[in-house]
Amino acid sequence: MAKILVAGASGQLGKHVVRELKLRGYAVRAIARDAGKLASLGIEDAVTADLTKPETMRGVCDGVDAVISCAGASMNINDFKDRQSFYEVDYQGNLHLLNEARKANVDKFVYVSLAGAENLRQTEYADAHEKIVEALRASEVKSVVIRPTGFFRFNLELLKFAAKGRGLVVGKGHCKTNPIHEADVATVCVDALESETSDIPAGGPEIFTRRETVEMAFAALNRKPSIVSIPPGLFKLMVAPLKLFNRRIYALMDFGIAVTQVDSIAPVVGSRNLRRYFEEAVKSL
Ligand SMILES: NC(=O)c1ccc[n+]([C@@H]2O[C@H](COP(=O)([O-])OP(=O)(O)OC[C@H]3O[C@@H](n4cnc5c(N)ncnc54)[C@H](OP(=O)(O)O)[C@@H]3O)[C@@H](O)[C@H]2O)c1
């Protein structure tokens, strides 16, 4: 039975990857920083390690056939305590993991970047992802890069906002995207273990404008939409002070502004429906 190391196993995506691997009969080793979150996955082979601290990573890939890395600096915009930046975790941290994978001669390294990252490199978030993609391409380890659009879970922030009667679009909100459910991305990640393709963009089944996703959040709550449009330049000025308090959250906001000003559409691989997801999520708000 092949053994797969999942980095970032406790994250929104990682949890689904672990579940999908178990369903398909793979043996799993899980790593993340937080022992409590790892324990809740119910995996015997769980290693508490910090990707940014190579001394905690030694031998982590020993006995492993392939790596799936969904590890990156936290995507939680409400957690001001976690200060590790995208360059530190997504790039440097995954570089340490790649070094371990090389030492252990793993067959394949599946890495989760994002759709359209190549065109958003002015932002730290996309640049950090692309820097590690370059390192993977330059290494002798076979790699597959998954490029999903925004996860449904991230769109939940719109619903929480709408529940407070607030809706926000940056600019006109007319740029389009096809968000994807994390479980659908997990299927793509696990399929990638057997794939010969090196780059897999992954989007959900429906394309919406950014404004439509906000309207959908209000509709799920049975509320009349109340949407404010903020010019991207003004919003950038508003979030600039965040840099002083938490560089990661600033970088996420900076990316959010940039990505909503371009279309971010990837080939349809997901099947789950965002409207239904919002309707379900409303029940537990
Ligand atoms: N969310 C989206 O819309 C989206 C879209 C496209 C691509 N992506 C990318 O997909 C990946 C997964 O996203 P996600 O939403 O699942 O993120 P997430 O929920 O924030 O999970 C991140 C995972 O990485 C781990 N981690 C963070 N820092 C670490 C460190 N220094 N050492 C070891 N592990 C660390 C976290 O666990 P601990 O905190 O316990 O360490 C967690 O398991 C990320 O790279 C993200 O950029 C996300």
Side-chain angles (χ1 to χ4, degrees):
M1 185 203 307
K3 183 152 201 165
I4 315 299
L5 175 109
V6 183
S10 56
Q12 299 304 333
L13 172 59
K15 284 187 256 189
H16 288 281
V17 170
V18 167
R19 195 170 305 142
E20 185 68 26
L21 285 167
K22 280 169 141 182
L23 273 174
R24 297 199 205 177
Y26 286 99
V28 177
R29 176 175 299 158
I31 65 169
R33 287 168 306 174
D34 187 313
K37 282 195 252 166
L38 270 181
S40 68
L41 296 174
I43 290 181
E44 268 175 44
D45 191 355
V47 181
T48 309
D50 185 332
L51 265 65
T52 66
K53 299 186 176 121
E55 67 280 9
T56 68
M57 304 273 297
R58 264 179 223 128
V60 81
C61 292
D62 292 355
V64 154
D65 297 287
V67 170
I68 300 180
S69 179
C70 334
S74 171
M75 297 297 288
N76 186 344
I77 55 168
N78 302 310
D79 180 2
F80 274 79
K81 283 195 205 130
D82 194 338
R83 293 176 176 280
Q84 289 190 327
S85 72
F86 292 105
Y87 280 136
E88 285 168 320
V89 185
D90 300 44
Y91 176 43
Q92 290 294 341
N94 275 295
L95 208 53
H96 296 142
L97 182 59
L98 174 60
N99 281 337
E100 289 298 328
R102 291 174 62 227
K103 279 194 260 168
N105 284 318
V106 306
D107 294 334
K108 197 173 253 185
F109 195 116
V110 178
Y111 179 70
V112 182
S113 178
L114 62 137
E118 316 89 298
N119 304 321
L120 292 163
R121 291 196 69 161
Q122 73 278 20
T123 68
E124 174 177 331
Y125 174 69
D127 193 45
H129 274 294
E130 284 311 286
K131 275 186 157 37
I132 183 67
V133 168
E134 284 164 0
L136 281 164
R137 298 302 188 222
S139 98
E140 70 285 9
V141 178
K142 243 195 231 168
S143 59
V144 185
V145 176
I146 314 295
R147 298 185 176 281
T149 53
F151 298 169
F152 280 11
R153 181 66 196 220
F154 207 63
N155 283 276
L156 218 48
E157 293 302 323
L158 303 179
L159 195 67
K160 290 185 198 157
F161 230 59
K164 292 177 187 153
R166 292 185 226 137
L168 175 75
V169 290
V170 187
K172 294 194 172 76
H174 60 198
C175 290
K176 294 177 181 164
T177 188
N178 55 333
I180 182 165
H181 194 291
E182 309 69 83
D184 288 332
V185 183
T187 305
V188 178
C189 290
V190 178
D191 287 347
L193 294 170
E194 303 294 334
S195 164
E196 289 306 315
T197 316
S198 60
D199 209 276
I200 308 179
E206 294 162 290
I207 297 175
F208 307 104
T209 65
R210 299 282 174 182
R211 184 175 282 273
E212 281 167 346
T213 51
V214 178
E215 286 168 353
M216 210 191 311
F218 277 99
L221 290 152
N222 274 323
R223 290 182 82 134
K224 197 168 160 270
S226 160
I227 302 174
V228 175
S229 160
I230 302 188
L234 175 62
F235 201 31
K236 258 179 113 86
L237 280 178
M238 287 162 69
V239 301
L242 272 175
K243 238 189 247 183
L244 302 172
F245 302 104
N246 190 308
R247 174 177 162 180
R248 176 185 63 81
I249 295 180
Y250 167 76
L252 256 184
M253 301 296 278
D254 186 47
F255 169 76
I257 295 168
V259 77
T260 51
Q261 302 314 301
V262 292
D263 288 341
S264 174
I265 297 168
V268 176
V269 296
S271 58
R272 290 167 175 86
N273 174 285
L274 183 60
R275 196 178 307 273
R276 269 202 294 280
Y277 178 83
F278 275 163
E279 283 163 5
E280 275 303 306
V282 164
K283 295 178 192 162
S284 48
L285 270 187

